[in-house]
Amino acid sequence: MSQQSPPVGATPPVPDPADRWVTGGVAFAGVLMLCGGVLAVLQGIAGIVEDEWYVRVGDYVYRISLTGWGWIHLVIGVLVACTGAGVLKGAEWARVTGILLASLSLITQFLFLPYSPIWSVIMIALDVFVIWALAAYRTSARVV
């Protein structure tokens, strides 16, 4: 059996916003952003206050002082936590902002791999889920 291709100009199928799986994924992404943002703030404070908290695992091309990493994590954490709260409230701006901040967090965690490899890999995986959940969701107003 061959599948028929959709007609030219047809819109792709959009998940039903009332579907529990879709709304549950977005709610879970919002909670992950809120918790991940708070943890990033704590990670940032640890980097700012006590440079000896993190130890470089190996030599790495991207070198930033741990105090610098602390400030980066602190700022991104505050922004991600606030955006996660917006996602949980259902704000449209928070969905788009959440995708951008989760992408930025993913890149930041990749660059932070030599200092905390296991935690960075876990956070990268969670950021990928958040990006997917927020990108897959469409409000009923956007369904054409």
Side-chain angles (χ1 to χ4, degrees):
M1 293 185 168
S2 67
Q3 286 188 345
Q4 294 179 358
S5 60
V8 176
T11 59
V14 177
D16 180 14
D19 185 12
R20 287 188 290 187
W21 283 101
V22 174
T23 55
V26 172
F28 187 54
V31 170
L32 284 176
M33 290 179 70
L34 192 59
C35 293
V38 169
L39 291 174
V41 167
L42 295 174
Q43 188 178 13
I45 292 170
I48 292 167
V49 173
E50 188 177 334
D51 273 348
E52 291 81 33
W53 180 260
Y54 294 107
V55 178
R56 182 184 294 268
V57 174
D59 200 17
Y60 203 54
V61 175
Y62 308 106
R63 294 184 187 175
I64 298 177
S65 72
L66 285 175
T67 303
W69 276 119
W71 283 106
I72 290 169
H73 284 298
L74 182 70
V75 170
I76 291 175
V78 168
L79 294 173
V80 168
C82 291
T83 304
V87 167
L88 289 175
K89 288 183 179 181
E92 182 65 27
W93 64 267
R95 193 173 65 82
V96 175
T97 306
I99 292 170
L100 294 172
L101 287 175
S103 301
L104 182 62
S105 174
L106 187 148
I107 293 166
T108 302
Q109 291 297 334
F110 173 77
L111 296 174
F112 197 68
L113 274 168
Y115 299 101
S116 185
I118 295 172
W119 180 253
S120 291
V121 169
I122 291 169
M123 291 307 294
I124 287 170
L126 292 177
D127 286 335
V128 167
F129 172 77
V130 167
I131 293 167
W132 171 82
L134 295 178
Y137 181 72
R138 303 283 188 267
T139 61
S140 59
R142 289 195 172 200
V143 177
V144 179

